[in-house]
Amino acid sequence: MGKSLKKPSRSQTERWNSSIQSTYGTPSISLVRGKGIEVWDVDGKKYLDLLGGIATNLLGHSHPKVSAAIAKQAKELSHVSNFYSHPQVLDLAERLVKMSGDSSARVFFCNSGAEANEAALKLSRLTGRKRVVAALGAFHGRTMGALSLTGQPSKRDPFKPLIPKVVHVPYGDVKALHRKVNGRTAMLIIEPIMGEAGVVLPPPGYLKAAREICDRTGALLVIDCVQTGMGRTGNWFGFEHEGIKPDAITLAKGLGGGLPLGAMIAIGHSAQLFTAGSHGTTFGGNPIACAAANVVISEIERSSYLSLNATKGALLRNLLSPIEGVIGCRGRGLLIGIQVKDGKAKEITSKLATAGYLVNATSEDVIRIAPAFIITERQIIKFAGAFAEICEEVYDG
Ligand SMILES: *Cc1c(COP(=O)(O)O)cnc(C)c1O
């Protein structure tokens, strides 16, 4: 570790409040260093990070191979415009095409999940249709286009009017899809698991039914894998267990392993809708972000994380489910929602932070964890032990 930083005279909280807009509220923890799944705050306190930058730091913090790839790329070529090609963007695009299982797939790179979904929304307009169907409770991002797809009134209402002709249907309800998706629908967008909504899983067969309805009506099926992609659920993409092929897949969060990177992968006919000049972004496919993504993918393959994530997820759910106060533990692989009694999610989350564990309450009764793939069985057992202790305190105290 380097020299310890001299503490500023004003608190982190004061500095935050006097310089940063209050979109996130004021954080009570200020982090300065990370290694593996551990992070340290300004006072040197250590935490086990079970949230992973919200499903983003797939290989944890400061992974030696990722750090080395970023440093190497930064020295060689850190940015070029999309007027030019470079090896990192080509490697990554080819890998994503291969992952999609369809050589007709073509990738558009951007910088975030919202942008990936914006790209999908614009793509859908080129079908000549304008209507969109999305799910109630779904989260697709905060920019005006992505927000129009997001199905959460509290996030949407202050910013109306949004993009017209978007309807939201109850998630997991096949009949509602039958009612609302028709020959005038440009696209149906769904998350394989609703992450921000509290790790909500649809009934089995939902994605397959969505595929059939889109096939019948000609609507594009866009699957938002921003949170469920890149191996987290035990497959590269969160929909694979249903054996379907979407018309477009959106990715971000884990894709860059901690660097800002998003992608919209269009497959088949939809891969030909964008033409030169249709869409673009300056930083999309940035060499450093792509270099990070390439090494993250290699490492996931080399370490067999896809199957390991399924096993580790099952272990976490098995250890957490029987804990007093836990009503249920749901998820797939390393995306897990722990439902707790009596609206105590925020209290438990804050007590876990004090005890040195970072998790996130998505609501009054759900705690989400989305740890890095490198989490060990020992760390899982340690976390479950701490969780049980805190629940005992909260529910018996
Ligand atoms: C986080 C998230 C987004 C938005 O991603 P940003 O990078 O924050 O714009 C979109 N869709 C899903 C499913 C997400 O979890």
Side-chain angles (χ1 to χ4, degrees):
M1 236 183 20
K3 260 194 306 187
S4 69
L5 288 171
K6 197 167 170 247
K7 269 188 125 184
S9 51
R10 291 197 305 153
S11 74
Q12 302 285 327
T13 311
E14 280 171 331
R15 292 179 62 197
W16 179 283
N17 287 338
S18 59
S19 60
I20 293 178
Q21 296 188 21
S22 45
T23 50
Y24 307 104
T26 308
S28 55
I29 297 172
S30 182
L31 300 172
V32 290
R33 194 167 74 89
K35 185 83 198 145
I37 86 153
E38 294 173 337
V39 288
W40 285 262
D41 73 10
V42 276
D43 300 318
K45 176 173 171 164
K46 184 169 90 176
Y47 302 83
L48 215 54
D49 178 10
L50 278 297
L51 188 59
I54 312 191
T56 291
N57 303 314
L58 301 190
L59 301 182
H61 301 273
S62 325
H63 188 283
K65 287 187 186 168
V66 179
S67 306
I70 292 171
K72 181 169 181 283
Q73 190 59 45
K75 284 180 201 157
E76 279 172 12
L77 182 72
S78 62
H79 177 75
V80 289
S81 86
N82 282 304
F83 295 142
Y84 312 103
S85 163
H86 58 83
Q88 295 291 359
V89 77
L90 290 176
D91 280 359
L92 181 57
E94 286 171 359
R95 291 172 120 148
L96 293 176
V97 168
K98 202 163 157 221
M99 261 180 215
S100 79
D102 192 320
S103 61
S104 74
R106 298 289 183 271
V107 185
F108 172 80
F109 287 109
C110 52
N111 314 287
S112 69
E115 281 177 71
N117 289 325
E118 288 278 349
L121 178 59
K122 284 183 71 177
L123 186 85
S124 79
R125 285 284 174 94
L126 299 183
T127 60
R129 303 178 183 186
K130 292 187 177 60
R131 299 187 182 203
V132 175
V133 178
L136 278 167
F139 186 78
H140 298 296
R142 305 274 203 157
T143 57
M144 291 300 268
L147 185 61
S148 304
L149 306 174
T150 290
Q152 303 182 14
S154 63
K155 297 189 171 76
R156 299 163 54 82
D157 290 350
F159 302 100
K160 283 178 171 177
L162 297 169
I163 304 270
K165 299 185 194 295
V166 180
V167 296
H168 290 91
V169 295
Y171 186 67
D173 182 344
V174 175
K175 280 193 189 133
L177 293 182
H178 276 292
R179 273 198 302 274
K180 294 295 179 189
V181 179
N182 57 43
R184 293 205 277 178
T185 308
M187 75 167 180
L188 165 63
I189 181 164
I190 22 188
E191 293 171 81
I193 296 173
M194 292 204 294
E196 295 305 300
V199 192
V200 178
L201 279 78
Y206 181 60
L207 299 177
K208 210 177 246 172
R211 177 68 275 175
E212 282 161 14
I213 292 165
C214 287
D215 282 340
R216 187 168 49 73
T217 56
L220 299 182
L221 177 61
V222 179
I223 306 283
D224 180 344
C225 291
V226 168
Q227 194 156 152
T228 52
M230 302 316 292
R232 177 157 298 281
T233 61
N235 292 113
W236 281 119
F237 305 118
F239 56 79
E240 285 181 55
H241 62 287
E242 294 242 329
I244 59 152
K245 192 178 287 178
D247 300 296
I249 303 164
T250 55
L251 293 173
K253 291 203 165 90
L255 176 60
L259 264 67
L261 182 62
M264 190 274 286
I265 308 171
I267 301 170
H269 165 69
S270 64
Q272 304 301 323
L273 290 173
F274 277 159
T275 52
S278 295
H279 195 45
T281 172
T282 301
F283 284 118
N286 169 270
I288 300 176
C290 289
N294 280 320
V295 64
V296 166
I297 293 169
S298 297
E299 200 56 19
I300 292 172
E301 284 169 343
R302 196 186 66 83
S303 305
S304 309
Y305 280 129
L306 299 194
S307 61
L308 283 174
N309 287 354
T311 317
K312 288 175 187 175
L315 175 64
L316 267 163
R317 291 197 301 278
N318 288 339
L319 292 174
L320 293 167
S321 298
I323 292 174
E324 141 108 273
V326 173
I327 298 171
C329 203
R330 59 201 184 214
R332 193 180 293 282
L334 288 179
L335 180 60
I336 294 175
I338 311 159
Q339 196 174 358
V340 298
K341 274 200 300 200
D342 307 334
K344 300 272 191 190
K346 288 186 178 148
E347 186 184 334
I348 296 171
T349 296
S350 124
K351 283 190 153 54
L352 277 168
T354 306
Y357 299 88
L358 301 181
V359 301
N360 148 255
T362 56
S363 67
E364 297 299 325
D365 44 34
V366 177
I367 293 170
R368 168 178 50 182
I369 57 171
F373 301 174
I374 57 165
I375 191 170
T376 62
E377 202 175 293
R378 258 185 75 194
Q379 288 165 329
I380 287 173
I381 292 168
K382 194 170 162 226
F383 167 68
F387 199 99
E389 243 173 65
I390 283 163
C391 281
E392 206 176 301
E393 196 185 308
V394 168
Y395 292 105
D396 287 347

